[in-house]
Amino acid sequence: MHTIIAALSERARQQPASTAIIWQDTAIDSASFEALTTSGALALVRAGVTPGDRILLHMCNCRELPIAYYACFKAGAIAVPIRRGASAGEIGQMADICRPRIGLTHAALPFTQVPSMPWLVLDEHWPAAADHGRLPAIDPDSVAVILHTSGTTGRERGVVHTHRTLHGLLNAYPGSAGTAFKTVIPLPLMHNYALFTLISMISTGGTAILLDEPAPEVLLDAIDRHSARMAISTPTLAHSLAEAQAR
């Protein structure tokens, strides 16, 4: 087992009712997540996506984004996330650089279509139930995702991760405690820390609690309401949490 796809399939087989994702009032168990991501992958294949194609992901932290990531992984495509606040010009520039086959965005996200590429607009009804179809075999050494640096000291640069390296990260992130381990993720899933934590939760039996707003009050409420054992943060957010608790 050298891919996170295989790790998800194993979890869905052994712990089908365990909760993998919580977003707002929606909980997705591992069996449902496995089925949804397979349906999403087949939808991408029907849209013309082939192994090695790049797919631009322009979404907020919503139910559909983890599904889209894993749909890309299962279809053999390369996920290229871009920050939700990117302008049409910035999205177009990214499209010129990575030359994606298609872009995925969310119906609830304000967005100006970039004419140089086709887009799928996702909502709570995506993906539809899967038709019968075949997905490609995944080479563990093939590229799974390209994450970009922040660009604070220069131009953004793409960092390539293969399926094998994503799987190898599991030992470095929390989640091995099993189904009782819940982690709140308030950071955007285009952020490597957030994405790697999501993958760790899904792969090792934990629960990822997604927040679309990193406000301290929202984060503290989510920790309390879900009895979360961990929340990932940045120094700035941690400082804001300390201030909120002191008030």
Side-chain angles (χ1 to χ4, degrees):
M1 183 191 300
H2 295 295
T3 69
I4 57 175
I5 298 170
L8 169 60
S9 296
E10 183 68 9
R11 172 180 177 173
R13 185 181 66 81
Q14 293 187 350
Q15 305 168 2
S18 63
T19 301
I21 303 284
I22 295 175
W23 177 70
Q24 295 184 350
D25 296 325
T26 301
I28 305 176
D29 62 48
S30 58
S32 297
F33 190 75
E34 167 81 338
L36 285 166
T37 53
T38 297
S39 296
L42 290 171
L44 293 178
V45 171
R46 289 195 296 272
V49 171
T50 58
D53 284 345
R54 296 169 175 83
I55 298 181
L56 209 61
L57 303 181
H58 179 242
M59 282 186 270
C60 52
N61 277 15
C62 57
R63 161 195 174 275
E64 288 73 31
L65 184 49
I67 297 171
Y69 264 120
Y70 272 78
C72 291
F73 299 156
K74 288 186 175 185
I78 302 170
V80 185
I82 187 170
R83 61 186 177 85
R84 61 177 291 179
S87 66
E90 289 171 324
I91 296 172
Q93 183 180 42
M94 182 67 73
D96 289 340
I97 293 171
C98 72
R99 300 187 181 279
R101 166 74 69 174
I102 198 170
L104 304 181
T105 190
H106 194 271
L109 193 64
F111 176 65
T112 301
Q113 292 282 356
V114 177
S116 61
M117 57 182 291
W119 287 85
L120 287 179
V121 180
L122 312 185
D123 59 20
E124 67 273 13
H125 303 296
W126 188 88
D131 297 325
H132 293 294
R134 297 187 63 182
L135 294 174
I138 303 300
D139 178 356
D141 294 314
S142 62
V143 177
V145 63
I146 300 175
L147 300 173
H148 283 80
T149 60
S150 63
T152 52
T153 58
R155 291 189 62 181
E156 294 182 2
R157 301 189 184 280
V159 181
V160 173
H161 292 274
T162 66
H163 287 268
R164 190 185 299 275
T165 59
L166 290 181
H167 187 269
L169 287 166
L170 298 182
N171 291 331
Y173 280 78
S176 58
T179 56
F181 203 104
K182 299 177 182 177
T183 295
V184 181
I185 303 178
L187 306 180
L189 288 175
M190 62 159 291
H191 192 293
N192 59 356
Y193 189 16
L195 177 59
F196 298 159
T197 302
L198 170 76
I199 290 172
S200 176
M201 292 295 101
I202 291 174
S203 299
T204 59
T207 300
I209 302 163
L210 303 182
L211 301 183
D212 190 36
E213 182 183 359
E217 295 79 7
V218 175
L219 177 51
L220 290 171
D221 176 70
I223 293 170
D224 181 62
R225 184 154 42 92
H226 297 291
S227 300
R229 294 178 59 184
M230 178 179 169
I232 65 171
S233 179
T234 60
T236 301
L237 179 56
H239 181 71
S240 298
L241 282 172
E243 289 184 332
Q245 288 179 309
R247 289 198 290 267

